Structure formats: C-alpha cells, structure tokens
Amino acid sequence: MFHGWWIVLTVFTVQLCMVGFMSYGYGLLLVPVEAEFQCGMERMNAGAIAMSLMGMILPLAVGQLVDRWSVRGLMLIGVAALVAGLVALSLATDWLVWAIVMAVLIAAAMTLLGPIVGQAAVARWFTAARGRALGIAALGTSVGGILMANLFAVGFESIGWRSSLRVMALGVAVVGFPLLVFLFRDHPRDLGLRPDGASGPVAVDSATPLQLVPARTFLRQVPFWAVSISLAIFLGIYNVMLHNVPMFAHEQGADANARSMMMVIICVSGIVGKLAFGWLADSLPLRLGLWIAIGLTATSLAIMTTEPELPLLWASVAVMGLAAGGILPVWGALMAQLFGVANFGRAMGLQAPLIALGAASALWVAGRLHDRTGGFVFPFQIFIVLLGFSALVLLLLRVPARAERAIATA
C-alpha cells in the first residue's frame, strides 16, 4: 500500500480527536458545564472566543513552520497540548479558568492538529487524488463527532463531565503518539517516493524551498482575499452553530439523548458530505463547492429560525452536516491549487487571523444576543444575511488552470 494512505490515516485520527472534540463534543459539554458554573452563555462562549483570538496569532507562526520545519514535530506538540488541555479543563472551577485553558492549551492544540498542518501533510503526498485524500482525512472530524457524542452521552450520566474529559485525554495519548512516531513522515521523498505512489526517480517536488514565495505575494492577490473573507464569514457562523445548537435544542425541549443524537446526525451527514465534496474537488470547479456549502448552511439556519419540533430540527442539522463535510476537502484543494503545496502552510496561516476574527465575532454576537433576547432566532437571522454576502464575495475568485505554477514563479 502506498505510504501516503498511512499519512491520511494519521491525519484522520488526530483530527478525529481534536476537531471531533471542538466541533461536535464541545457544544454538548457546554450544557452541563454552564449548569454547574451558572454563568450564562455569553461567559461560556468566552472560552471559545479566547481560543479564536489566539487563533489570530498562532497560525502565523505555525504556517511558516509547516513549510520550513517538521510537520510531525508540530503534531506531536499538538497532541501533548490537547492531552494537557483536556486534563486542565476537567479541573476548572469557574468560567474564567475555563477560558484561560481554552486560550492557551486548546488553542495551541487546535492550530497544530487542525487544517493548516494536517491538510498540508496530505497535500504533499497526493496530486491527482488530492481531493479524495483530503476528503478521507477530513472524515476523521465526523467520525470523531460520533464518538464524542456517544462518549459524552454515556460519560456525563455515569462518571460526569470531568471524568469524561480525563478518559478522552488518556485515549488521545494512547492513540496519537504512536501513530505520529512510528508511521508519520513529512514528505514522500523521505521514503524515496513520489506523490500518489508514481514510479520513477524522485524529482525536486513542489515542497522544496526553491518554490517558497514571500508573504506579500499572497497579500497582493484578489483570490487570497476573496477566499479569506468568504471563509471568515462562513466558518465563523458554522462554528457558532456547532457550539450553540445543542443549547438551542435544549431550549426547544430536547433532552440529553436527543441532543447527542442530533450531533450524531451531523456527523453521519458530514461523512456523506466529505466523500461527495472530496470527489467534487477532483472533478468540478472548487468555487461551486464553496457555494453549495454556504447554501446548505443558510438553509439549515432558515429552518432553525422557525424553532422547529425535534424531527425537523434533526433534518436541519443533517443539512448542516453536509455543509461541514464539504468545506474541509474543498478548502484544502483550493488552497493547494491557488498557492501550491510548497506555500500551503503559510497561505493558510495568513488566512487564519481573519478567519479567527470571524469566529470570535460570531460567537460574541450569538452569546450576547442570546442573553439579551432569550433565544437564538435573531442571531440566526443575522447570520443568514451574512452568508449571502459570503457567497457574493466568491464572485471575485478566479482560479487559473495552472495556478500553482503561476504563483511559484511570481
């Protein structure tokens, strides 16, 4: 078997742990934690906001390191930060301690185990099948969400939320470290291989320092800003939905089992979305994939503004899951096509501050308006309008047929 698929498996696993926890498990966790701390959603969202603000700084450095240092080393540090962060969260005594842990340890883990590092690693190992490989690696987030929903549903009732976090920390350590130490390699050339397992002599590939370009090259380009602004709006809103939809369902009368089932539905539909959009990334215009994901998210929000009964709420989150499935493989394939795998990490790192600002702003708006109006309907309505703007910004995006070669020689 081509060793690149072991890289996909490793990225799949670490994202199962990190992104699965933050994207799908975290929203479920907020319900019992807020009930214990008695601090309101605005303060509980402060932890995620703090993490997002750190996400404006950390990716700038990490993006540089992805292209110049060891991806395996970065991911090992990320696993250590996640393990320490989960244990620290389990010991938190109030919302302020919670926010500090999120801002330091969980933010570091999210950056080091998230899309910037993981997708860069996969992109190096594949060319023709890049979209499919990125889609399969991204499945880890959905599978992780299924595991988190079940772990937390059982754990909260049997051992409590604090012990559930400690069990997860142990699992991350036992699985993550061996995969990275024994199976992961930074480049195909480290094993004398070519991307996609192609035969022939190992040539100087697109990951060599000879094709690194200055940051100002990205910042002068309209496609960079079009993708960054659109994703900042889309991902910020999607982040709010994942974190706050369990609370929204709780306020609609859904019990703990119903909320856990809701997150499982998001994850299962996300698997379908990742496979479908991974294929689209190799076959159809990538801008179309982004438009579809934005449209699905807006549709889900529109259903939620009607404050639906549980069956329709489940249907709306299934639509949301399809959008989640689409964004990771399309985003990764688009960045590789626009900027080249040699510059992948730095390009995504430069995007990160804007995306983090979008996430922090959306979380603040949702938490503040929820506590002022007593519900999520009004912020959801605002988000639908913003998603429309996000789609319009993509009209500025042009992807040349040979974008990678063009930027490498800019």
Side-chain angles (χ1 to χ4, degrees):
M1 182 177 72
F2 174 49
H3 195 84
W5 293 110
W6 289 110
I7 308 305
V8 170
L9 173 64
T10 304
V11 174
F12 173 100
T13 303
V14 297
Q15 291 194 344
L16 178 154
C17 298
M18 181 68 252
V19 185
F21 167 67
M22 274 308 304
S23 295
Y24 301 100
Y26 189 74
L28 294 171
L29 185 62
L30 288 181
V31 177
V33 174
E34 193 279 332
E36 181 175 326
F37 292 169
Q38 290 291 304
C39 59
M41 282 305 297
E42 185 175 355
R43 285 184 171 178
M44 279 310 303
N45 276 346
I49 292 171
M51 187 187 75
S52 297
L53 292 176
M54 286 299 294
M56 298 175 64
I57 302 170
L58 292 175
L60 294 173
V62 171
Q64 296 280 344
L65 292 172
V66 165
D67 296 330
R68 299 176 183 274
W69 191 55
S70 166
V71 170
R72 178 167 62 169
L74 293 172
M75 295 176 80
L76 282 168
I77 296 171
V79 169
L82 178 56
V83 171
L86 291 170
V87 173
L89 287 178
S90 76
L91 300 173
T93 55
D94 57 39
W95 71 270
L96 183 57
V97 174
W98 183 275
I100 292 171
V101 174
M102 291 289 293
V104 179
L105 292 172
I106 301 299
M110 190 67 182
T111 302
L112 294 169
L113 301 179
I116 293 176
V117 180
Q119 292 193 73
V122 173
R124 291 172 180 172
W125 283 81
F126 294 88
T127 303
R130 182 178 290 151
R132 279 167 285 171
L134 288 167
I136 293 170
L139 286 176
T141 64
S142 295
V143 175
I146 295 173
L147 293 177
M148 296 307 151
N150 286 283
L151 169 66
F152 287 167
V154 174
F156 291 168
E157 289 191 7
S158 59
I159 59 176
W161 65 268
R162 294 181 185 275
S163 294
S164 296
L165 288 175
R166 293 167 193 154
V167 169
M168 182 183 170
L170 177 62
V172 171
V174 168
V175 175
F177 286 121
L179 280 174
L180 287 165
V181 171
F182 297 112
L183 290 177
F184 194 88
R185 296 295 182 272
D186 286 332
H187 296 283
R189 65 169 179 261
D190 293 343
L191 297 178
L193 300 173
R194 294 166 59 93
D196 292 310
S199 59
V202 179
V204 175
D205 62 27
S206 59
T208 62
L210 295 176
Q211 291 189 341
L212 294 176
V213 296
R216 63 179 180 272
T217 303
F218 308 130
L219 299 178
R220 287 198 301 258
Q221 297 192 25
V222 172
F224 174 84
W225 290 106
V227 174
S228 300
I229 292 171
S230 181
L231 285 175
I233 297 170
F234 173 79
L235 292 174
I237 291 171
Y238 191 80
N239 188 49
V240 167
M241 293 176 70
L242 286 177
H243 286 182
N244 290 276
V245 160
M247 183 63 74
F248 173 73
H250 172 68
E251 294 172 353
Q252 298 301 113
D255 61 18
N257 289 331
R259 295 194 300 271
S260 295
M261 177 58 67
M262 183 175 65
M263 301 310 289
V264 170
I265 291 171
I266 294 175
C267 296
V268 171
S269 62
I271 291 173
V272 175
K274 287 180 176 69
L275 293 173
F277 279 84
W279 172 79
L280 286 173
D282 292 328
S283 307
L284 295 178
L286 295 172
R287 183 172 61 172
L288 176 60
L290 291 179
W291 271 333
I292 293 172
I294 292 169
L296 290 171
T297 305
T299 300
S300 177
L301 276 169
I303 296 172
M304 290 185 191
T305 59
T306 67
E307 298 183 302
E309 298 293 329
L310 190 58
L312 188 55
L313 180 58
W314 280 346
S316 70
V317 298
V319 173
M320 187 172 75
L322 290 174
I327 197 62
L328 285 179
V330 173
W331 182 15
L334 181 62
M335 296 302 289
Q337 187 173 345
L338 284 172
F339 307 116
V341 294
N343 306 288
F344 190 101
R346 285 175 307 136
M348 292 192 75
L350 288 169
Q351 280 185 328
L354 193 58
I355 291 173
L357 180 61
S361 300
L363 281 165
W364 180 81
V365 167
R368 189 168 185 82
L369 291 181
H370 171 272
D371 289 351
R372 296 298 183 273
T373 65
F376 286 103
V377 171
F378 184 47
F380 284 176
Q381 290 170 338
I382 293 174
F383 292 156
I384 292 172
V385 175
L386 290 173
L387 284 171
F389 178 75
S390 173
L392 289 175
V393 169
L394 290 176
L395 291 173
L396 300 172
L397 180 61
R398 296 291 184 270
V399 184
R402 296 298 294 174
E404 183 169 327
R405 180 178 296 174
I407 194 168
T409 58

